[in-house]
Amino acid sequence: MAKKEYSFYPGCSSQKKASADNYLRSTYSMCDALDIKLNEIDDWNCCGASIGYAGGGEVPRIALSARNVALSAQQNPDQDLVATCAACWLSTREAQERIEENDKVREGVNAALDEIGLKIEGEQPKARHMVEALIEDIGFDELASGVQKPLEGIKIAGYVGCQTNRPFGIAGESFENPKYLDHMIESMGAQAVDRYDKKVACCSGALMFSEPEKGHALVKDIIEAAYDGGADMIVTPCPLCQMNVESYQKEINKTFKTKFEMPVVYYSQLISVAYGKSAKESALDGQIIPVKQLEDVTNK
Amino acid sequence: MSNLNQAMIEKYRSSFLNEVEANVEEGHWVKMCMQCGVCSGSCPLGPHWEHPPQELFMMIRANEREAVLKSDSMWMCTSCYNCIARCPRGLPITHIMHGLATYAKRLNLVPKKQPTAEFGQMFWDSLSKNGRVNELKIGVGLYFKDGFAQGVKNAMAGRELGMAMMKTQRMNAMEYFGGHKCKDTSGIQKMLKKAQEFEDQQITRFDGKEG
């Protein structure tokens, strides 16, 4: 039996050949290495993300998350609902909070769920981000103890971003300078960039698509600060942060006359590589900007 | 929808604050703002807001109904939650901004071609149709939202990134012809319809004709 077991909510970007395909693949690889079993919620739906309000009001948006929560409770009772996407996790937690606190919302959501024979009742599964599960259920020391190929000599900027950090955050961390990603980097034998200025800055989120010029300006600062700190690469816990910071560097270079070529990886890729998984298993082939130093570790 | 707007004007003639409290998500918090401006100073897109959040809160209390609802300010919210984390009074500012945007949309008052409003609607349409978002269709839709010629131009400009996404298996051309979706799409549509009806009732109740 696996050491840990979770009800898994991957989210729209973490589907086969979707924008965070590399996150999905490296998550499964990491969980295999850590003896974690992921039970994907059958027929989960989109959480509405942070842009859904343009089309859906409060009750429809919360109903979306409520459906996932109800399905999780039904299919995987007694298991925490674990999301890898920051927005999925945040929407689910927000929905649970609102259902708990607002009678009107609860009434509307249950009326909507009733249409499909579901209901929010009894104790709801605890919604957690994958990094929470790693930190709280396994811990940094144990994570470090399983490392087979330490990421020695690699300097990494831990870019926490927004939605795993605010408004809920990781227990015991501050909003302005959370340390969990740095600890995770160090547990894998790499060096964390000290005082990474843009650690909790915003990548512009969904506005990267609708307001690209404003988005590029924000991302430029995030990458520049990583270079200033001497980083070889950036690591992030969020699929939209990864996409926004990695994939527009060519356009940013054109606009700002910069020469950025900064790899941006997921924590799940760091752990997967350090635990001895192959480059393919760790989804290093999913990087637009190749991450040679991690590839080298996998070839050791 | 403009009828709803007229009904709301009649109903709340004397107080836009009351209207916001009744009809905007988390709107009952607005009166708690003490005008310190930490939210505006913390916003990553702060300089791009015509009226930053604390100004919107003051305008709501000053009955500046049209100026608030027709503003594109709240559409600048990136959902970074800095304002929520830092507000000394604990206002859920991000949610209030989303709520104002939703309400303006519902009353048909959003500025024409507001890009985030358009993109957000495409996103919502995609997820409510299939239960999951079709990233490729939204991307293509976004390219072509301002007509065919502009779309071709945008698509050419984005071609290199598109190729890179394909090569790294993070985009699939076949997604355009169907793609990822939930099994129970009809159930999800039914659920969303019911949720929307419930919410509409909550608002129309205040025009004295229903509820």
Side-chain angles (χ1 to χ4, degrees), chain A residues 53-174:
Chain A
Y53 64 83
E58 184 180 18
V59 179
R61 274 186 288 122
I62 292 176
L64 285 169
S65 289
R67 180 177 178 272
N68 291 325
V69 170
L71 288 177
S72 179
Q74 198 175 63
Q75 296 167 17
N76 304 314
D78 306 321
Q79 286 173 24
D80 290 346
L81 190 169
V82 169
T84 39
C85 169
C88 290
W89 172 62
L90 182 54
S91 300
T92 310
R93 271 193 71 161
E94 263 170 15
Q96 287 182 313
E97 203 171 72
R98 207 67 70 77
I99 289 167
E100 195 75 32
E101 288 170 2
N102 187 323
D103 296 339
K104 196 183 82 183
V105 168
R106 184 170 55 246
E107 187 193 332
V109 165
N110 271 327
L113 286 181
D114 190 50
E115 293 282 305
I116 48 174
L118 292 172
K119 198 177 179 181
I120 296 284
E121 58 184 343
E123 199 163 330
Q124 297 182 51
K126 194 174 173 195
R128 305 170 79 194
H129 191 276
M130 180 62 86
V131 293
E132 271 189 306
L134 297 180
I135 295 164
E136 291 166 4
D137 298 355
I138 297 179
F140 297 115
D141 291 343
E142 202 179 322
L143 281 174
S145 70
V147 170
Q148 295 173 16
K149 294 179 174 174
L151 310 180
E152 275 162 352
I154 304 179
K155 201 165 177 185
I156 307 177
Y159 173 50
V160 176
C162 300
Q163 296 193 348
T164 60
N165 183 40
R166 298 180 297 263
F168 299 113
I170 307 297
E173 294 280 10
S174 82

Side-chain angles (χ1 to χ4, degrees), chain B residues 7-26:
Chain B
M8 292 299 118
I9 292 172
E10 304 276 321
K11 171 70 189 170
Y12 293 102
R13 196 178 291 278
S14 59
S15 174
F16 182 41
L17 177 63
N18 288 352
E19 182 178 353
V20 168
E21 287 179 334
N23 294 346
V24 171
E25 183 172 345
E26 301 288 298

Side-chain angles (χ1 to χ4, degrees), chain A residues 15-16 19 42-44 46 53-54 57 59 61 94 98 104 163 166 176 210 242 246 250 286, chain B residues 25 78-81 86 95 102 105 116 131-132 135 142 160 169-170 180 182-184 199 202:
Chain A
Q15 298 181 93
K16 197 172 160 52
S19 59
D42 182 45
D43 212 35
W44 57 264
C46 174
Y53 64 83
V59 179
R61 274 186 288 122
E94 263 170 15
R98 207 67 70 77
K104 196 183 82 183
Q163 296 193 348
R166 298 180 297 263
E176 307 295 343
S210 51
Q242 198 284 336
E246 185 194 28
K250 277 196 177 159
Chain B
E25 183 172 345
T78 63
S79 308
C80 79
Y81 291 78
R86 292 177 182 168
H95 300 301
T102 306
K105 189 89 191 297
T116 301
R132 296 180 189 176
E135 295 178 328
L142 196 59
E160 201 177 348
Q169 299 178 58
R170 291 163 61 179
H180 294 296
C182 284
K183 288 180 258 184
D184 187 22
E199 196 156 283
Q202 297 296 317

